[in-house]
Amino acid sequence: MTRTHAYAPSSELLAQHGDVEAGAGLVDLAVNVRADAPPPWLLRRLAGVDLAKYPDPVAARGAVAARHGRSAAEVLLTAGAAEAFVLIARAIKPRHAVVVHPQFTEPEIALRAAGHEVHRIVLGPPFTLVPAAVPDEADLVIIGNPTNPTSVLHPSGALRALARPGRLLVIDEAFADCVPGEPDSLAASDEVAGLVVIRSLTKTWGLAGLRAGYVLAEPAVTAALAAAQPPWGVSAPALEACIACSSAEAVAEAAAWAQRMVIARAYLLDRLERIDGVQVVATPSASFVLVHIDTPDPRAALRAKGFAVRRGDTFPGLGQQWLRIAVRDEPTSTALANAVKEILCQTSMR
Ligand SMILES: Cc1ncc(COP(=O)(O)O)c(C=O)c1O
């Protein structure tokens, strides 16, 4: 289902992210990185980088290409996924750009900042992709998979159905490695014309401050985006992280983490689904769940009980009663569910 009269946040709210929610004394369920810090082996690798030299991306490009079965010319390393959105907005001149919402808002912000008009396709619950909702004239389409904040994983077939001659189809796979085996990832798909896959090291490796990510696309597209990039824009430690996190051992470590996260997520889902007044978006696929809570301002109520959660009212198509909640360990999920129950109980007594 898509919605034409969906909730629309102000431009100020559109630019707000989960990191502003967390604060001293609060349990942080707002930020969606997997760990507080990168694993020790990765920190050691980063500490060994020679900072006196200008960064040379050749080895990192090769490592990322090998990890996804692509050629080096199909890889562009970026300062996080966020830079990739800015490069697309600067290098591409779309006539009809479409962003499928609710999703991470930086792609839309980057397009608008570069002077492009953005057409929103707003999916309604349960946030299933309807390829026919994307108009034929769209020559740039941006969609997340799995999507932040809905946690919905769109089937690769539905995404492929969005590809068209003359269209750039951008899939933000920042959370793809939350899905064991990544069956719906298109990162290795070099046969889909106009496909641009964006990946990030931020979430899985706890590297938000490093700024490391990359684009996988046909060589003409990576070259066009590279031309919009500042010189040496990806630092030597970020390049080292790209090499380290592309190794078979690192990929296996991420896959094992994803398996554990799936179990922890099932526990959180089970706790929340038992509560009257809570609607959980079914079959989440990322390291967070999206919930609708039947009380006027659930975010403020949870803050008062010591939990920072990600507000939903910064996302087109959601609103104040929607919250994104990060998957954490069982005691944390139990405590959160108890707090939600108490809030709903107080609401019903008013
Ligand atoms: C879906 C999605 N894509 C991309 C990003 C940005 O990732 P990076 O830190 O690699 O710029 C985020 C950050 O929250 C995100 O949620």
Side-chain angles (χ1 to χ4, degrees), residues 314-326:
T314 70
F315 294 101
L318 297 184
Q320 213 177 21
Q321 289 179 300
W322 290 95
L323 301 176
R324 190 193 71 199
I325 300 174

Side-chain angles (χ1 to χ4, degrees), residues 17-18 32-33 78-85 103-107 144-149 172-175 198-203 207-209 211-214 288 310 315 324:
H17 299 297
N32 53 15
V33 293
T78 58
E83 189 197 16
F85 300 126
Q103 75 146 301
F104 184 54
T105 50
E106 285 301 327
N145 209 41
T147 311
N148 173 16
D172 176 1
E173 291 197 357
F175 289 97
I198 297 177
R199 305 274 296 215
S200 168
L201 270 60
T202 291
K203 313 295 175 182
L207 287 175
R211 315 307 305 131
Y214 49 90
F288 46 81
R310 175 65 166 88
F315 294 101
R324 190 193 71 199

Side-chain angles (χ1 to χ4, degrees), residues 13-338:
L13 272 183
L14 199 70
Q16 208 180 99
H17 299 297
D19 47 355
V20 299
E21 305 282 346
L26 293 172
V27 178
D28 178 11
L29 304 176
V31 173
N32 53 15
V33 293
R34 83 149 143 159
D36 295 342
W41 65 263
L42 183 51
L43 283 175
R44 282 194 296 276
R45 283 282 292 266
L46 299 181
V49 171
D50 182 354
L51 296 178
K53 288 192 190 136
Y54 278 99
D56 176 355
V58 171
R61 230 177 157 185
V64 169
R67 185 242 184 278
H68 293 289
R70 308 286 296 248
S71 69
E74 293 174 303
V75 175
L76 177 69
L77 305 170
T78 58
E83 189 197 16
F85 300 126
V86 172
L87 296 178
I88 289 169
R90 287 185 185 157
I92 310 296
K93 306 279 172 256
R95 287 182 310 280
H96 191 108
V98 164
V99 177
V100 181
H101 284 292
Q103 75 146 301
F104 184 54
T105 50
E106 285 301 327
E108 174 167 328
I109 291 170
L111 287 169
R112 289 193 189 283
H116 307 303
E117 191 185 348
V118 174
H119 300 264
R120 291 181 179 167
I121 301 286
V122 184
L123 304 177
F127 308 108
T128 310
L129 174 62
V130 185
V134 176
D136 275 340
E137 64 264 34
D139 56 353
L140 173 64
V141 177
I142 305 188
I143 184 164
N145 209 41
T147 311
N148 173 16
T150 61
S151 208
V152 168
L153 181 69
H154 302 300
S156 57
L159 294 170
R160 285 174 189 273
L162 290 177
R164 297 270 183 292
R167 173 182 287 175
L168 223 52
L169 171 61
V170 179
I171 303 182
D172 176 1
E173 291 197 357
F175 289 97
D177 41 15
C178 290
V179 186
E182 300 189 17
D184 291 290
S185 166
L186 293 182
S189 305
D190 55 6
E191 79 294 355
V192 182
L195 176 68
V196 179
V197 173
I198 297 177
R199 305 274 296 215
S200 168
L201 270 60
T202 291
K203 313 295 175 182
T204 299
W205 299 106
L207 287 175
L210 189 64
R211 315 307 305 131
Y214 49 90
V215 174
L216 302 163
E218 57 203 72
V221 174
T222 57
L225 301 184
Q229 213 171 18
W232 306 293
V234 184
S235 70
L239 296 175
E240 185 67 14
C242 287
I243 297 171
C245 298
S246 298
S247 71
E249 294 78 10
V251 172
E253 182 176 323
W257 164 77
Q259 298 282 5
R260 293 194 297 277
M261 186 278 292
V262 165
I263 295 167
R265 188 180 61 212
Y267 182 86
L268 172 63
L269 208 62
D270 177 62
R271 294 289 118 174
L272 291 170
E273 278 173 346
R274 291 160 189 246
I275 306 173
D276 269 351
V278 176
Q279 180 198 334
V280 188
V281 176
T283 56
S285 293
S287 49
F288 46 81
V289 298
L290 183 67
V291 297
H292 183 276
I293 301 186
D294 208 359
T295 191
D297 189 355
R299 178 181 73 107
L302 278 168
R303 257 188 116 72
K305 289 192 175 293
F307 293 92
V309 291
R310 175 65 166 88
R311 63 197 291 172
D313 58 353
T314 70
F315 294 101
L318 297 184
Q320 213 177 21
Q321 289 179 300
W322 290 95
L323 301 176
R324 190 193 71 199
I325 300 174
V327 175
R328 302 280 191 249
D329 60 15
E330 292 190 2
T332 308
S333 294
T334 304
L336 179 267
N338 289 340

